[in-house]
Amino acid sequence: GDVNWIKTGELQNNRLFEVEEKITQIAVEECSLQILPLNSVLIAMYGQGKTRGMTALLKTPSTTNQACAALIVNSKKLSSNFLWHCLIGAYNAIRADAEGSGQPNLNSENIKKFHITLPSSVEEQECICNYLEKKCTAIDTAIEQKQELIVKLTEYKKSLIYECVTGKKEIN
């Protein structure tokens, strides 16, 4: 097919430009699926491990399986970007609202009753988002650099251990 099909595993608190699977237009029609507009905010309603409560900001027209909820905002009152950032920040609180034994799930009522603090204007919301983008990018860069250093130090540690236990490095 040629219609984007999103699963919960693809929601990684990311902007979603590409998806792993596609379905046919016939499937869309027969299953009465909705093609979601750009900037829909997606949230994983259930899933294994950390999946439940993860989000994505939709950047390509797509449809989803039943495990994803789509929030379509009135752009005159709320920035999709701002809502998406709010949900990322509230990940633990959202997950705590899940219900059920075995594998707790979120439902539409959990999402509807969740409150966010809303600045008065979309412009202010976007200003906050721009600030977050700059800061988060800097933090992500720092994390990447530290992870690269960890990999190098881990390799050095393994090499040192190997050299010491095989006698290639003299120990005094």
Side-chain angles (χ1 to χ4, degrees), residues 57 72 146:
L57 185 60
I72 302 168
K146 296 301 180 190

Side-chain angles (χ1 to χ4, degrees), residues 3-160:
V3 178
N4 292 328
W5 175 253
I6 299 170
K7 303 173 304 300
T8 57
E10 295 176 87
L11 309 183
Q12 298 291 314
N13 292 338
N14 54 336
R15 287 184 175 86
L16 200 51
F17 291 94
E18 295 181 23
V19 302
E20 297 170 359
E21 294 184 28
K22 304 210 183 272
I23 60 173
T24 64
Q25 187 61 42
I26 293 170
V28 171
E29 292 164 10
E30 287 180 357
C31 298
S32 301
L33 300 173
Q34 179 182 4
I35 305 294
L36 301 167
L38 296 180
N39 295 317
S40 296
V41 178
L42 305 177
I43 184 165
M45 302 302 274
Y46 50 90
Q48 299 292 334
K50 68 175 189 156
T51 303
R52 183 182 71 251
M54 293 294 274
T55 65
L57 185 60
L58 190 60
K59 292 299 184 180
T60 184
S62 304
T63 190
T64 70
N65 68 17
Q66 71 279 5
C68 299
L71 307 173
I72 302 168
V73 303
N74 176 343
S75 61
K76 292 179 181 171
K77 295 182 179 181
L78 177 62
S79 158
S80 295
N81 202 22
F82 183 81
L83 175 60
W84 176 58
H85 279 96
C86 287
L87 294 175
I88 291 171
Y91 172 74
N92 290 326
I94 291 169
R95 284 181 60 86
D97 282 345
E99 299 171 358
S101 59
Q103 183 181 343
N105 298 320
L106 294 168
N107 58 49
S108 60
E109 291 305 313
N110 299 123
I111 303 303
K112 286 178 185 175
K113 72 178 183 180
F114 195 80
H115 294 277
I116 61 171
T117 301
L118 191 59
S120 59
S121 71
V122 173
E123 291 77 21
E124 185 178 358
Q125 295 167 30
E126 283 301 323
C127 183
I128 292 167
C129 292
N130 291 337
Y131 174 83
L132 286 172
E133 294 296 326
K134 289 177 189 168
K135 291 297 184 180
C136 289
T137 298
I139 292 168
D140 288 342
T141 300
I143 289 170
E144 237 176 73
Q145 291 170 345
K146 296 301 180 190
Q147 286 173 333
E148 289 171 8
L149 181 60
I150 289 169
V151 167
K152 288 178 184 176
L153 289 171
T154 301
E155 289 171 4
Y156 173 68
K157 177 183 169 184
K158 288 178 184 176
S159 175
L160 180 63

